[in-house]
Each structure stands twice: as structure tokens, then as C-alpha cells.
Amino acid sequence: MAILPIVIVFMPFPKLSWLQEVLTVFSRRGKTVLQSSSRKFSVPQKYFCHFYVLGVAWTTLLLIGTCLCAFATGPVVAESLYLPSIASQLAGASGQSPLPKLLASTVEHKKGIWNSVFLLLLMETQVLRRLFESLYVFKYSPSARMHIVGYLIGLTFYTAAPLSLCCEHIPEVVKFVVNGYAEFTIKDFVNPLMHLRWYAWIGAACFTWGWIHQRHCHGILGSLRKNGSQDEQYVIPSGDWFNYVSSPHYLAEIIIYGGFVIATGFSDVTILLLFSFVVGNLGLAAKDTHNWYIRKFEDYPKDRTSILPFVY
């Protein structure tokens, strides 16, 4: 339901322009709020760090709980190796046994839990880096603001996003954390991750690609305010993906969450909806930022687009 308004505003219906404007106002942050009438309903942009404090705490809690639950389910590889021989022995002369399907289902279930652990590990690296950047890289202007609705949406997002990466197993994780515990070693942790499906690692590569470029782009933005938070002057950023789009850090964020979608084999509806929300929300914010740059700078590069190179 959260992505429905965003989907609607991208439809070519002039009568829905008012909804696009409302959502754009809510998505405004930083420099784009300075001249906005919504400023009185805003909070300091430095409150962005609240998102990542929440994200780190919540993701860490979910990661620990899911890890303990995964360890308790036992090894993934051992059962898959012995499955054919055990099944053939129990099938006897008839050659038929329900055991292979049962064991295969158990193995797939364990792989699903470990895939959730893998996704949460990726999310943990993301929120930890964003927290570090919000505290030590970005130099927020005292006048930089974001809409209060956008702030509340941000808090909701960083509660829902980590949860969506393991929501299929949450009841099991909660039950285990309440009732049990697990002893494990580093080997117990690494081995199951090494046997994830191939698309999990392609998703991780996509995540890493976006992660690295977002770090570079945030470094560029952080370096623009040379005199610290008291400097109100804005300049045109350049370098890395800034040479192609106005909001490359948003593009990198989309790639990061696209990595989560790939890592699940495009099979998790919750993560697909999460990705759709990220694309819609950042698409609106990027367009608003692009328009601000064009109004602010007469010499703004004509060949830059909002968020997708040469497209949008």
C-alpha cells in the first residue's frame, strides 16, 4: 500500500499532478526545502543520523536472532550429501519413498534462513556506513531541513527494510530466541554461506557495486562544504557518477536494493515491494533535486539527467 501513491504519480495523468506535488514536498530534504512553504513542518536534516542509529540497532538485533536460529537448524550441506543414500536405503525394494521430498524441503528451508542471514549482513554493512557518513562525512548546513512526514517515513523505512529481508522466517526466529539458544563456531557460520545459490552472490556483487559508488558520491558531497556546517554556499558537484546524473547517490541506493532483489532470485514479493518503494521515492527526490540545480546554476551541465543516465 505504501508504494501505491508513488506508482500512481508516475502515470501520465494530468489530473494526478497534485498528488505528485504533495509527495515531492514530503520527499524534500536539504537545499530543496530552503524555499519551500513546507519548511515550518520540517526538522533539521542532521536528524538523518536517527535513521541509521535505528537501522544499525534493529538490523543487528535481527541478524543475531536469525543467525542463532540458522545455527539451531543444523548444517545445510550434510543433509544434501546424504539424502540420496538415505532415501535409497529406506525405499527398499519398491524404490519409492517420501523421504527425498521431505529432506529436500528441509534443506531448502535451511538455505532460506541462511539466505536471510546473508541479506542482513549486507544491510548491516550499509547502515553502518551510512551512520558513519552522517556523523563524520556530511557537514549539514544549519538551514538544511527535511519534511516531518519524510522524517517519519524514514524511520518507518529503516524499521521495515531489515525486517523485509527475513520476514518469512521471523515467527521461527522469535520462537527460537524466546525458547532456546545455540552454540556455534566461525566455521559453522561460514560454511552455510559458501553454499548459497549463485544468484545470491550476483546480488551481493550488485550490492557492493552500488555500495562503493554511493560511498564515493557521499564523499564528494561531503567535501563540497569546505568551511564546515556554517558554509551556506552551494557548488555543482562533479566526479564519479555526478558526471552523468544529478543524484548518483540515489542511483547507487537503487542498485543496492536491486542487489537484495537479485540475491533472492526475484522470488520474494516483500523485497520486490521494498525495491519499488525505493525506486519511486528516490525518483521523485532526484527529479526535485535536478530541477533545483537547474534553477540555481545557469551553467549547470545540459547533458545530466536526474537519476538514470541519458534516460530520466
Side-chain angles (χ1 to χ4, degrees):
M1 293 299 293
I3 70 168
L4 183 59
I6 294 177
V7 172
I8 292 175
V9 299
F10 280 104
M11 295 180 178
F13 300 140
K15 292 184 178 180
L16 296 176
S17 59
W18 64 272
L19 181 57
Q20 182 171 4
E21 178 58 29
V22 169
L23 291 179
T24 300
V25 168
F26 290 163
S27 69
R28 280 177 179 157
R29 62 203 72 174
K31 50 187 173 289
T32 60
V33 182
L34 289 175
Q35 304 300 325
S36 173
S37 59
S38 63
R39 182 177 173 80
K40 61 183 178 180
F41 301 109
S42 64
V43 296
Q45 193 183 9
K46 64 182 180 181
Y47 283 12
F48 253 79
C49 69
H50 297 175
F51 302 158
Y52 310 125
V53 170
L54 173 63
V56 168
W58 183 224
T59 304
T60 301
L61 181 63
L62 290 174
L63 178 59
I64 292 173
T66 309
C67 275
L68 293 175
C69 183
F71 289 128
T73 62
V76 172
V77 183
E79 289 187 10
S80 62
L81 290 176
Y82 293 116
L83 187 152
S85 59
I86 295 174
S88 61
Q89 291 176 20
L90 295 182
S94 65
Q96 297 181 353
S97 171
L99 187 60
K101 291 184 179 180
L102 178 61
L103 291 180
S105 175
T106 302
V107 170
E108 286 302 312
H109 175 70
K110 292 180 179 181
K111 285 183 177 179
I113 297 177
W114 279 105
N115 199 65
S116 293
V117 172
F118 185 66
L119 296 177
L120 287 169
L121 281 172
L122 296 180
M123 176 60 84
E124 185 83 341
T125 64
Q126 172 70 357
V127 291
L128 282 171
R129 178 180 58 79
R130 296 300 300 273
L131 177 60
F132 174 83
E133 290 172 343
S134 67
L135 294 175
Y136 301 108
V137 175
F138 290 123
K139 305 174 181 67
Y140 297 113
S141 165
S143 61
R145 315 284 293 181
M146 62 177 158
H147 199 282
I148 184 64
V149 173
Y151 174 72
L152 295 175
I153 290 174
L155 292 175
T156 303
F157 177 83
Y158 279 98
T159 300
L163 189 61
S164 70
L165 303 180
C166 60
C167 62
E168 184 178 350
H169 306 289
I170 278 297
E172 185 178 354
V173 170
V174 172
K175 182 178 179 181
F176 173 79
V177 170
V178 171
N179 298 324
Y181 67 94
E183 296 181 359
F184 56 90
T185 65
I186 296 298
K187 183 179 179 180
D188 295 329
F189 180 79
V190 174
N191 281 347
L193 296 180
M194 293 297 101
H195 291 84
L196 294 175
R197 296 191 180 277
W198 58 269
Y199 49 73
W201 295 104
I202 292 180
C206 181
F207 173 94
T208 303
W209 183 43
W211 193 96
I212 290 172
H213 277 284
Q214 189 176 64
R215 183 177 66 84
H216 288 167
C217 294
H218 283 168
I220 291 170
L221 288 174
S223 68
L224 296 180
R225 198 176 296 280
K226 297 179 180 179
N227 297 324
S229 61
Q230 301 304 315
D231 188 354
E232 295 291 337
Q233 298 299 315
Y234 290 98
V235 298
I236 300 175
S238 61
D240 202 79
W241 289 351
F242 276 108
N243 295 332
Y244 306 100
V245 295
S246 296
S247 300
H249 48 312
Y250 294 163
L251 173 58
E253 186 93 356
I254 290 174
I255 292 173
I256 285 169
Y257 283 90
F260 289 134
V261 174
I262 296 172
T264 61
F266 297 88
S267 62
D268 193 308
V269 176
T270 305
I271 295 179
L272 283 169
L273 291 175
L274 176 71
F275 176 71
S276 300
F277 175 82
V278 170
V279 172
N281 180 53
L282 295 184
L284 287 174
K287 185 63 176 178
D288 195 42
T289 299
H290 183 70
N291 292 338
W292 183 90
Y293 276 126
I294 291 174
R295 292 192 303 268
K296 180 72 174 179
F297 302 103
E298 294 182 358
D299 58 341
Y300 194 70
K302 303 292 185 182
D303 55 348
R304 286 193 195 181
T305 51
S306 298
I307 192 168
L308 291 178
F310 316 113
V311 178
Y312 176 79

